[in-house]
Amino acid sequence: MVTANLVGRDLGSASQDLQAAIAALDLPPGTRVQLAGQNRELGESFASLRFALLLAVFLVYLVMASQFESFKHPFVVMFSLPLAVVGVVLALVLTAPR
């Protein structure tokens, strides 16, 4: 077991660098290397976050479908939102005081 403390770096980039260094090693057969601890918790947290996001989108779709009494109209609204966000960000960038 090897332990380390990170100073001045985030866990994600340090894990990626460590994975690249491990991949470059010539390990003997039967040797297993895995990252654990906070790195495992980070992966589980992101998996939970993805699940929560998908569940939220699905529930919003169900509420909108019941309100619009249509299965097609909620898709139109939900797929137009990313385009609206792009327009809003562009407008904010163009009108921001410098």
Side-chain angles (χ1 to χ4, degrees):
M1 181 185 326
V2 178
T3 61
N5 290 323
L6 296 176
V7 176
R9 292 190 66 187
D10 63 298
L11 180 61
S13 66
S15 296
Q16 288 176 350
D17 291 346
L18 191 56
Q19 288 285 13
I22 290 170
L25 292 176
D26 186 27
L27 298 173
T31 304
R32 186 179 70 155
V33 177
Q34 71 179 31
L35 298 179
Q38 289 182 348
N39 188 54
R40 184 182 302 156
E41 293 295 325
L42 179 68
E44 290 174 4
S45 296
F46 276 119
S48 296
L49 184 64
R50 276 190 295 272
F51 176 73
L53 181 64
L54 289 174
L55 184 63
V57 168
F58 177 70
L59 291 174
V60 166
Y61 172 77
L62 286 180
V63 169
M64 287 173 48
S66 68
Q67 288 292 316
F68 293 151
E69 296 178 356
S70 168
F71 291 116
K72 183 174 62 170
H73 293 111
F75 279 119
V76 172
V77 171
M78 291 175 74
F79 287 128
S80 66
L81 282 177
L83 298 173
V85 170
V86 170
V88 167
V89 169
L90 183 63
L92 287 173
V93 166
L94 292 176
T95 61
R98 298 183 198 258

